[in-house]
Amino acid sequence: MATRWIFGNQLSHELPIVKEADKELDVFLMIEAQSRSTWQHYHKQKLVLIFSAMRHFAAELEDKGFQVDYREADSFEDAWKGHEKDFEPEKVFYTVHTDYRMTQAMKKWEKSLSGIDVEVLDARPLFLLTAEEIKGELKGDGPWKMDPFYRRMRKRLNVLVEGDDPVGGKWSFDQDNRKAAKSNTAFTKARSFRPDQITKDVMEKVEKQFGDNPGELKPFRWAVTRKEALQALNQFIKERLETFGTYQDAMLEGDDFMSHSLLSSSINIGLLTPMEVVRKAEQAYLDGEVPINSAEGFIRQIIGWREFIRGIYLKKMPKYRDVNEFSHQRDLPSFFWDAETDMNCMHESIRPVVEHGYNHHIQRLMVIGNYATLFGLSPQQTSDWFNEMYIDAHDWVVLPNVLGMALYADGGVLSTKPYVASGKYINKMSNYCGSCKYNVNHQTEEDACPFNSLYWHFLDRHADKLSNNHRMGLVYKQWQKRDAEVKQAILEKGERLLKE
């Protein structure tokens, strides 16, 4: 007989490991390993999502007539030993991993086996390209740019193209997707799901065994089955994609989700495949249901950015996790875990993470990432926080997005400049500043928005690395032209903030 080992981020019936299974000869192994949970201090809802989705998937396999050996254990090692003893498999199949740590752990496990063959299977359709294909797309050692990769993917997959030309006349409509939302702008609420008994049992377990982990346990809103994930996808396409594009960079106080899809947690564990999501968005445009800027902007996130950052991860690990271009070493402040800060933009960006394990990409990049860069927070601590606190986080997703895009800690492997900004950007794209303790229009006063002086302080202290960057020349010229006394006052204000 053969064992088919399925992990918690590979819950797709379309994977070869499931489609090629023999009901008479094979047994599926699934392990709810608590040691995996203690690798990092995961958000309670992230644990609930993975454990509940695994249990539901095991039940679905059993309903199809497969034998499933589902084990709760302290470690993968303990569970494997028990499975090997009980079933004596002659061969083990498992799906290739992207995360470096798990890849290394599986290689070590393979070496420990005696008399058991191992076959590693393709991870498509969880991804659009194999590991070798994606690495082949990114030639050399970098830096790389996403846009040419994205264009090649559009052609390769025949998505929103007419021959070799883009539908709508442009490859990207990003310029149309940067509109701020007025405070009274209403967005259709995203579909949420009431926990069933399986999920309730998992929630009880998590509260009991991981009660000290960060984040709130309730309300738990996330899809844990393919059926639920499809319902969420269909509702997004039908009711919410239309306004996604225009307002995808906007932020509103108290509206945590706006028109964002909330599908990443389902895609990243296999409940949805990226291509089926892309095709539905494309069809909605072709049917005249959504504008091109919304369809293209959403599709770009999946076939462009998602595949691109996976390629960066596969090309650059394991050294990539240690990058620190600016030698930033400061510890994360405590409000990263409870959102209790007088900076309203940080409060409004971190609060939904505490409550749901989620916020959207501009809050991640231009508020939290911006703060971490300007305040000189440790890139490794920051990426660990993202890995632990987000419902959709996996190592291959987090490291390039955080270390590369948000923090520029890789020195420009995937981004042409640091994504830093003063409070003016946040004020432009949100209504956060109106109810903040700090004044976004002040720079050196007692109530000045901390982003304002720290923005210039960051540029000044890292001028040796950044002043020759072609995308930052103008801002450095502006800084150089400012009065010496004004510059000194701004730098002193920034220095005081860093010492608080």
Side-chain angles (χ1 to χ4, degrees):
M1 58 81 61
T3 292
R4 293 179 175 267
W5 192 349
I6 292 182
F7 292 80
N9 58 355
Q10 301 171 344
L11 307 179
S12 172
H13 293 278
E14 297 304 310
L15 281 168
I17 197 168
V18 176
K19 296 187 77 172
E20 297 169 4
D22 188 314
K23 293 178 181 178
E24 301 299 324
L25 299 176
D26 297 345
V27 59
F28 283 100
L29 172 63
M30 300 182 72
I31 301 172
E32 202 172 290
Q34 294 165 17
S35 65
R36 176 67 178 90
S37 308
T38 58
W39 282 1
Q40 290 174 301
H41 208 48
Y42 287 134
H43 194 297
K44 293 186 185 77
Q45 290 196 31
K46 183 172 184 176
L47 296 176
V48 173
L49 171 70
I50 298 299
F51 293 161
S52 178
M54 287 178 65
R55 294 184 186 189
H56 281 92
F57 193 78
E60 291 168 8
L61 290 174
E62 290 177 333
D63 287 343
K64 286 186 172 183
F66 291 108
Q67 183 178 4
V68 179
D69 182 25
Y70 193 98
R71 293 176 179 258
E72 296 180 59
D74 289 336
S75 69
F76 284 122
E77 292 81 5
D78 291 345
W80 165 253
K81 289 176 182 176
H83 174 83
E84 183 182 22
K85 180 180 179 182
D86 292 345
F87 290 89
E88 299 180 346
E90 299 171 353
K91 187 170 185 175
V92 176
F93 297 91
Y94 73 88
T95 301
V96 65
H97 293 276
T98 297
D99 282 8
Y100 178 82
R101 182 166 47 187
M102 185 57 78
T103 299
Q104 297 306 114
M106 294 306 290
K107 288 180 179 178
K108 181 180 178 181
W109 166 78
E110 285 185 49
K111 290 180 180 178
S112 72
L113 299 179
S114 178
I116 301 177
D117 292 331
V118 176
E119 184 174 342
V120 184
L121 301 176
D122 191 356
R124 290 176 299 175
L126 301 185
F127 300 101
L128 303 175
L129 301 177
T130 66
E132 292 308 313
E133 286 173 339
I134 189 69
K135 287 189 283 188
E137 284 283 341
L138 303 179
K139 306 295 184 183
D141 294 323
W144 301 281
K145 293 182 179 179
M146 193 275 285
D147 185 63
F149 169 81
Y150 169 56
R151 295 184 184 198
R152 293 195 300 273
M153 288 294 287
R154 286 267 295 273
K155 295 176 184 178
R156 179 176 188 148
L157 300 171
N158 194 33
V159 174
L160 290 180
V161 291
E162 295 173 339
D164 286 336
D165 299 319
V167 169
K170 294 193 297 185
W171 290 104
S172 172
F173 289 81
D174 195 42
Q175 292 293 330
D176 300 333
N177 293 353
R178 299 175 181 175
K179 186 176 180 178
K182 295 180 180 180
S183 296
N184 61 354
T185 305
F187 295 94
T188 301
K189 289 185 178 180
R191 180 76 184 267
S192 61
F193 301 92
R194 186 175 300 165
D196 63 5
Q197 191 57 52
I198 291 177
T199 302
K200 289 178 180 178
D201 290 344
V202 171
M203 292 173 73
E204 184 177 340
K205 171 183 175 174
V206 168
E207 187 59 53
K208 190 177 192 179
Q209 298 187 23
F210 304 100
D212 293 334
N213 280 39
E216 297 178 9
L217 187 62
K218 299 176 182 178
F220 184 84
R221 58 169 296 118
W222 303 100
V224 294
T225 66
R226 173 162 173 77
K227 180 180 178 181
E228 290 179 342
L230 282 171
Q231 290 172 347
L233 169 60
N234 291 334
Q235 190 246 357
F236 170 69
I237 297 295
K238 184 178 181 180
E239 301 177 10
R240 304 175 62 243
L241 175 59
E242 180 180 3
T243 52
F244 166 77
T246 302
Y247 298 112
Q248 72 174 47
D249 286 1
M251 298 171 281
L252 281 180
E253 189 171 20
D255 192 332
D256 299 335
F257 307 132
M258 300 177 71
S259 285
H260 292 273
S261 74
L262 311 189
L263 299 174
S264 52
S265 60
S266 294
I267 297 171
N268 288 349
I269 63 173
L271 301 183
L272 296 172
T273 66
M275 204 61 211
E276 71 179 323
V277 175
V278 166
R279 290 300 183 200
K280 281 183 177 287
E282 179 187 37
Q283 194 61 48
Y285 165 72
L286 296 176
D287 291 343
E289 297 173 357
V290 301
I292 184 65
N293 66 305
S294 286
E296 186 277 320
F298 179 66
I299 288 170
R300 181 168 10 102
Q301 290 186 345
I302 299 175
I303 70 172
W305 193 250
R306 185 176 187 266
E307 291 289 317
F308 180 67
I309 61 159
R310 173 174 169 254
I312 300 286
Y313 182 90
L314 289 170
K315 289 279 285 191
K316 287 295 186 179
M317 283 297 282
K319 293 182 179 180
Y320 194 81
R321 63 188 172 192
D322 298 321
V323 295
N324 193 349
E325 173 73 5
F326 301 120
S327 300
H328 287 166
Q329 300 293 342
R330 290 166 64 89
D331 293 334
L332 271 62
S334 61
F335 68 76
F336 269 59
W337 285 271
D338 58 24
E340 294 181 5
T341 172
D342 290 331
M343 295 179 68
N344 194 44
C345 60
M346 288 296 286
H347 170 75
E348 280 296 301
S349 295
I350 294 175
R351 177 190 53 74
V353 181
V354 175
E355 293 177 357
H356 305 290
Y358 176 88
N359 60 13
H360 68 72
H361 68 278
I362 292 298
Q363 293 169 310
R364 301 185 197 201
L365 175 66
M366 295 307 301
V367 182
I368 298 174
N370 189 25
Y371 178 98
T373 305
L374 299 185
F375 273 81
L377 304 186
S378 160
Q380 284 63 48
Q381 288 189 31
T382 305
S383 61
D384 282 348
W385 180 82
F386 274 89
N387 239 329
E388 294 162 1
M389 292 295 288
Y390 282 80
I391 197 84
D392 55 6
H394 300 269
D395 205 50
W396 66 269
V397 181
V398 167
L399 294 193
N401 267 313
V402 175
L403 298 178
M405 189 69 173
L407 306 182
Y408 201 74
D410 64 4
V413 170
L414 60 84
S415 178
T416 54
K417 73 176 185 68
Y419 278 83
V420 291
S422 69
K424 289 182 179 180
Y425 175 85
I426 296 170
N427 191 38
K428 175 186 175 183
M429 297 307 300
S430 78
N431 61 354
Y432 293 161
C433 300
S435 55
C436 185
K437 170 185 174 180
Y438 299 100
N439 190 324
V440 70
N441 296 313
H442 289 175
Q443 284 200 331
T444 59
E445 294 86 344
E446 186 66 26
D447 67 345
C449 171
F451 279 116
N452 291 338
S453 60
L454 284 174
Y455 171 70
W456 295 111
H457 191 284
F458 169 83
L459 293 179
D460 187 81
R461 72 180 186 264
H462 295 302
D464 60 325
K465 293 179 180 291
L466 300 174
S467 60
N468 292 325
N469 184 307
H470 70 281
R471 292 191 65 191
M472 303 192 72
L474 181 61
V475 73
Y476 271 103
K477 286 181 181 179
Q478 292 174 349
W479 177 240
Q480 291 164 3
K481 290 178 180 179
R482 301 188 77 163
D483 181 81
E485 290 186 4
V486 172
K487 288 168 65 176
Q488 187 61 33
I490 292 172
L491 293 177
E492 288 177 357
K493 173 68 173 180
E495 195 65 31
R496 288 196 299 272
L497 288 169
L498 291 177
K499 289 179 178 179
E500 287 181 359

